[in-house]
Amino acid sequence: MTLSPDSTKTMDAYLTTLRKRLRQLNESEVNEIVQEIHSHILDKASQQGVPTRATIDAAITALGTPEELAGSYVTNAVLQRAQATPSPLLILRALFRWAGLSVAGFVTFIVSVTGYCVGASLLLCAVLKPFFPQKVGLWFNTDSTDPDSFRLHLGFTPTAGVGHEYLGGWIIPIGLVLGAIFLFLTYRFGQWSIRKFWRPQVRYAD
């Protein structure tokens, strides 16, 4: 199939930008995607006969910008990997991308961020307690701004005059255990949500 120089230039420019935007994926994945899109453009452009500059442009326009198309591929790849990864950071990265695509992704991301923050705060409290015993721990507040409530202090805010401490040194084993449980359950929740609610995006219409 012979294309005009203008058609070839237009398609090559699109595929070059697409390849650059796919740099987060490995080389074999990128090559496969670029070849797939190359074939798709030619197939769509030749449905009415010999491909022309106009049909090539129409096929490319239907795909969307190379940035949008690459984003869908990268998001699919990241979410696919997140289903089996042992890395909480990769899970959060995947959920962040998913959050912009659906309500389920947004809710999962918010719940996961909250869970990781709670778990990390409990662990940090347990670790810092031996070093700052008068500043770190679980306090029952009696101050006028937030009376009759519990607050976990990590030593970054003053505790004097806000109430009295609960648990004392027991915050260390409790914080370690509960913090680890929160982190693990949040990690598993993220994986479960992806498997349960995520569906690969439709990259283009055949």
Side-chain angles (χ1 to χ4, degrees):
M1 181 183 296
T2 303
L3 299 176
S4 68
D6 284 347
S7 298
T8 301
K9 183 178 180 180
T10 298
M11 186 166 58
D12 287 347
Y14 185 91
L15 295 175
T16 297
T17 303
L18 177 64
R19 180 179 291 276
K20 291 179 180 178
R21 296 294 179 174
L22 292 169
R23 59 182 177 272
Q24 298 180 51
L25 306 182
N26 62 54
E27 189 65 22
S28 62
E29 289 177 309
V30 173
N31 290 335
E32 181 179 347
I33 292 169
V34 171
Q35 184 58 46
E36 178 185 2
I37 297 302
H38 178 270
S39 299
H40 172 77
I41 293 173
L42 293 180
D43 289 344
K44 295 291 287 186
S46 60
Q47 286 181 351
Q48 304 299 324
V50 178
T52 64
R53 171 68 183 272
T55 58
I56 291 288
D57 287 345
I60 289 176
T61 299
L63 286 171
T65 67
E67 292 81 8
E68 292 170 341
L69 186 61
S72 68
Y73 274 103
V74 172
T75 297
N76 286 343
V78 170
L79 285 165
Q80 186 69 39
R81 293 168 184 166
Q83 295 183 56
T85 183
S87 170
L89 290 179
L90 182 55
I91 289 283
L92 273 180
R93 177 191 170 198
L95 294 180
F96 178 75
R97 297 188 70 94
W98 189 24
L101 302 177
S102 69
V103 174
F106 178 78
V107 172
T108 302
F109 177 71
I110 295 300
V111 172
S112 295
V113 169
T114 302
Y116 281 125
C117 288
V118 171
S121 296
L122 288 168
L123 287 177
L124 187 60
C125 185
V127 170
L128 293 177
K129 181 64 175 178
F131 301 99
F132 307 99
Q134 304 304 317
K135 294 184 177 180
V136 176
L138 183 66
W139 259 262
F140 182 76
N141 297 318
T142 57
D143 62 319
S144 58
T145 58
D146 190 18
D148 301 329
S149 64
F150 287 97
R151 182 176 298 173
L152 194 67
H153 284 273
L154 301 178
F156 304 116
T157 56
T159 58
V162 299
H164 54 277
E165 183 187 7
Y166 274 78
L167 298 180
W170 282 101
I171 193 65
I172 297 175
I174 292 175
L176 291 173
V177 172
L178 288 182
I181 290 174
F182 261 95
L183 292 180
F184 176 75
L185 291 180
T186 302
Y187 158 77
R188 297 294 292 181
F189 169 76
Q191 283 191 320
W192 175 83
S193 296
I194 293 172
R195 294 192 186 105
K196 183 72 173 177
F197 300 111
W198 171 70
R199 297 295 180 271
Q201 293 177 282
V202 177
R203 295 159 183 167
Y204 50 76
D206 292 324

